[in-house]
Amino acid sequence: MNLSLESLSKEIELYAEKITQAMYKSSIGESTTNEYTKVLKKFSHFFNWDIMSQLININWQSDDNSRSLFMLKGYMIGQWYSYESKELMDQITQAQTKKNIEFNGRQFSIREARYLLKYDDNHELDQLRKKVAIEIENNLNPVVFSYYNKLKSLSDKLGYNNFVEVANDIRRYSLQKLLNESERYIECSDYVYKLYVETYCYKDGYKFSEIDQIDSFSVKRGIEDMKYLANQLDLKTKGIEIFWTNSKQKFSNSFCVPMQIPGRIILVTSDTDGFNSQRHLYHEFGHGFHFMNTDPNLKYAFRRMGDHAVALAYSALIEGLLFNKSWLKERNYSYNIALRAYYHRIYLIRKYWGKIKAENETHINNQYEETSKSNFNKWYSRSLNEKFDSTWWTYSLDDELNAASQIRAWLLSAQIKEYLVDNFGENWFKNKSSSSFLKKLYSYGYKYNADEISEMLGYKNLNSDALIKELQEIQNLIEVS
């Protein structure tokens, strides 16, 4: 490792902590100034080309020191992309939040309009839909195309042909192989989706009203569930904080902020009742359990800078308790929840698969203005069977191909669950042996990627077999009901 990188290693840890804090404050509206931008400026010396050229030449090796360096490479390259494209990302945010749309005597932003247009059966808002489509086409999409071109130029500078090649390298997977493997699940779920799931889908979302009528879902009940689970599995939870959001605030997303791993983990989630809010609560606690039970003696890179699919897999496992019949019985929920909860997972897997298929083709073609919308139309049509609104395709833009991480997480989560059931029984969530197993996995932090953990569990690779088995179990439930 060159001296310039050695001298920066501790400073990079400070940067990671500061940028996490800044993003958190910005997300919840606590920062009076743009703290994220200030942090980037303060540490701008990280992003000079001398540093980046050193990072590019770090190759993967499995020993701890080399592994740590490679994770540093992935993390810093990702941050470099953010640093270099910050201005365009700000322009995208401004295009989404500027109140340019006049409707019924009021001015709306694209974000505000999206919230109003969540349910596509309200035809009183058809005129608003038309105005939103024009605003997106004229003022949002051109900035998004500029952003895509920026990603391409940055990838060229690093010596890659496109953004997908960068992800394949620093994350150590093949996106194309992942898409081909996960397509097996799409094909296997076609029947259930078209016959049962599609009826719950809007063009821009999912209906939760009917599952909310099956049983009561509340903040109090969800918290008690997670306390019970942590107690049964003997998990460390001291240091987990919850920041509750509500409908009056300007943000509604649920997310986890690992301020210190382990030590202080903030779960940002909704204080409203209902299945979807409780699902988010379970999901975020999955992150909390993982991060709070990570070995504090691990190298810093292993605690923060690895494969995000691993953290998402642990969250998907906890969230999946909502379609675990044994868990529902243990916690006195209606048995019928399992079916509807898994319907929503089918919807999400198919939606994210369509998204990443479209993004993959868009980046590989490098012809954003000409092909991107048609790619989204094609693959969302395949995955959601016309239950999508292509008007919003640029709104769902992310800068890290996050849908790929989520799909890999579902594959790994299904394998972990299968391993737990096979080795510790249907009631694994209150088995002390499964507790030891899970705490061991959590202790690794991010040291191993999803593919390596899959191999630890005894699988040949991160494939869709366990996820398809999970689907088949739900199909059996359908036949019984």
Side-chain angles (χ1 to χ4, degrees):
M1 186 177 187
N2 292 352
L3 286 175
S4 54
L5 279 182
E6 287 178 350
S7 64
L8 287 173
S9 60
K10 287 296 181 184
E11 201 177 356
I12 288 172
E13 294 182 19
L14 177 62
Y15 166 79
E17 301 292 327
K18 292 291 186 183
I19 205 71
T20 300
Q21 293 171 22
M23 292 174 70
Y24 168 62
K25 289 182 178 180
S26 177
S27 296
I28 66 172
E30 278 193 358
S31 55
T32 54
T33 58
N34 194 334
E35 293 189 40
Y36 180 72
T37 300
K38 289 168 68 175
V39 173
L40 286 178
K41 287 182 178 179
K42 179 178 179 180
F43 292 90
S44 60
H45 53 287
F46 285 174
F47 306 111
N48 68 61
W49 188 245
D50 288 340
I51 297 295
M52 297 310 301
S53 60
Q54 290 181 54
L55 290 169
I56 293 168
N57 293 321
I58 295 173
N59 296 315
W60 166 253
Q61 296 180 56
S62 62
D63 65 278
D64 278 8
N65 286 334
S66 299
R67 181 186 290 265
S68 176
L69 276 179
F70 194 85
M71 288 183 178
L72 177 68
K73 167 186 175 176
Y75 178 79
M76 291 307 296
I77 285 178
Q79 293 297 309
W80 179 72
Y81 271 91
S82 297
Y83 177 80
E84 293 290 337
S85 60
K86 178 68 170 59
E87 184 177 337
L88 284 169
M89 287 301 291
D90 286 345
Q91 290 178 27
I92 289 172
T93 300
Q94 290 164 12
Q96 292 175 350
T97 57
K98 195 170 183 179
K99 298 190 177 190
N100 281 346
I101 306 167
E102 193 280 328
F103 181 71
N104 282 351
R106 289 181 56 194
Q107 296 295 125
F108 292 91
S109 68
I110 293 174
R111 283 188 183 179
E112 291 169 332
R114 184 184 175 109
Y115 181 79
L116 288 177
L117 297 172
K118 184 177 180 182
Y119 304 114
D120 59 15
D121 56 358
N122 187 346
H123 296 294
E124 294 178 3
L125 299 175
D126 284 347
Q127 190 60 37
L128 178 59
R129 286 188 182 86
K130 293 177 182 178
K131 291 187 174 185
V132 167
I134 294 171
E135 178 68 16
I136 289 176
E137 191 73 26
N138 292 341
N139 293 320
L140 177 58
N141 290 1
V143 188
V144 170
F145 294 140
S146 296
Y147 174 77
Y148 273 133
N149 283 313
K150 183 67 173 181
L151 293 185
K152 173 64 170 74
S153 68
L154 293 174
S155 302
D156 289 343
K157 191 171 183 179
L158 292 175
Y160 299 93
N161 290 317
N162 53 59
F163 191 54
V164 169
E165 281 193 6
V166 182
N168 287 342
D169 181 21
I170 65 178
R171 294 179 180 175
R172 295 192 293 126
Y173 67 64
S174 165
L175 181 54
Q176 189 57 58
K177 287 182 179 179
L178 172 67
L179 292 170
N180 293 342
E181 180 61 38
S182 54
E183 188 169 357
R184 292 174 54 217
Y185 181 89
I186 303 303
E187 293 172 351
C188 289
S189 64
D190 276 341
Y191 174 79
V192 176
Y193 175 79
K194 292 174 182 177
L195 201 59
Y196 299 102
V197 179
E198 190 175 331
T199 186
Y200 299 106
C201 303
Y202 289 107
K203 281 192 174 181
D204 193 34
Y206 193 86
K207 304 175 186 177
F208 293 103
S209 55
E210 292 190 30
I211 192 171
D212 284 338
Q213 295 170 13
I214 295 175
D215 208 325
S216 60
F217 303 95
S218 65
V219 169
K220 181 179 179 181
R221 200 171 185 184
I223 289 291
E224 290 303 315
D225 289 346
M226 293 299 97
K227 286 181 178 179
Y228 171 83
L229 182 63
N231 183 60
Q232 292 296 311
L233 297 179
D234 190 32
L235 298 173
K236 297 175 184 175
T237 58
K238 186 178 181 181
I240 295 178
E241 304 172 18
I242 302 179
F243 183 96
W244 297 108
T245 69
N246 57 61
S247 59
K248 295 179 180 179
Q249 292 163 317
K250 294 182 179 179
F251 60 95
S252 58
N253 290 338
S254 174
F255 53 94
C256 173
V257 187
M259 291 290 201
Q260 184 182 7
I261 305 175
R264 187 186 178 204
I265 312 299
I266 302 175
L267 313 181
V268 180
T269 193
S270 174
D271 68 355
T272 58
D273 294 338
F275 171 79
N276 198 35
S277 294
Q278 194 157 325
R279 179 182 72 86
H280 282 301
L281 182 67
Y282 275 37
H283 180 99
E284 301 311 333
F285 262 96
H287 286 310
F289 295 149
H290 171 210
F291 293 137
M292 282 307 304
N293 291 274
T294 294
D295 182 354
N297 297 311
L298 287 175
K299 288 177 176 288
Y300 187 81
F302 298 161
R303 286 182 278 133
R304 188 175 287 277
M305 296 179 180
D307 181 6
H308 193 46
V310 172
L312 288 169
Y314 298 146
S315 283
L317 178 72
I318 303 304
E319 184 185 328
L321 290 171
L322 287 167
F323 50 82
N324 181 313
K325 295 172 288 183
S326 299
W327 170 264
L328 294 172
K329 180 179 179 181
E330 180 74 16
R331 301 302 297 159
N332 298 313
Y333 287 95
S334 168
Y335 177 84
N336 294 327
I337 290 171
L339 201 57
R340 299 295 179 82
Y342 197 75
Y343 283 172
H344 181 248
R345 173 139 318 173
I346 292 172
Y347 165 76
L348 286 179
I349 293 172
R350 295 177 68 93
K351 179 181 178 180
Y352 276 72
W353 180 83
K355 181 176 185 292
I356 196 61
K357 282 284 285 188
E359 288 176 336
N360 179 57
E361 290 194 4
T362 297
H363 285 298
I364 288 177
N365 290 335
N366 295 321
Q367 295 177 317
Y368 307 119
E369 292 88 341
E370 296 85 355
T371 63
S372 46
K373 187 172 183 178
S374 63
N375 288 337
F376 278 79
N377 276 326
K378 176 173 66 175
W379 292 112
Y380 273 131
S381 293
R382 168 67 185 94
S383 62
L384 297 180
N385 195 26
E386 309 300 336
K387 286 289 187 175
F388 75 102
D389 185 350
S390 62
T391 302
W392 299 98
W393 77 267
T394 46
Y395 192 90
S396 64
L397 170 79
D398 68 67
D399 58 348
E400 294 186 6
L401 298 176
N402 287 319
S405 293
Q406 185 62 75
I407 291 172
R408 295 175 73 239
W410 281 314
L411 296 176
L412 180 59
S413 172
Q415 290 182 337
I416 294 173
K417 191 192 82 170
E418 183 176 59
Y419 183 95
L420 287 167
V421 171
D422 288 349
N423 288 276
F424 310 115
E426 292 288 342
N427 290 325
W428 60 263
F429 49 82
K430 58 177 184 178
N431 185 312
K432 295 304 179 186
S433 297
S434 67
S435 167
S436 299
F437 166 75
L438 276 175
K439 286 195 292 185
K440 185 67 174 176
L441 285 186
Y442 291 157
S443 73
Y444 296 141
Y446 281 121
K447 183 175 180 177
Y448 303 105
N449 72 3
D451 303 81
E452 290 173 310
I453 292 176
S454 174
E455 291 178 9
M456 288 180 192
L457 299 176
Y459 295 91
K460 290 183 179 179
N461 52 44
L462 189 63
N463 60 52
S464 59
D465 291 349
L467 195 63
I468 290 172
K469 179 182 175 182
E470 193 175 76
L471 172 68
Q472 291 168 340
E473 291 170 355
I474 289 299
Q475 288 177 303
N476 292 337
L477 273 181
I478 294 172
E479 294 173 4
V480 170
S481 62

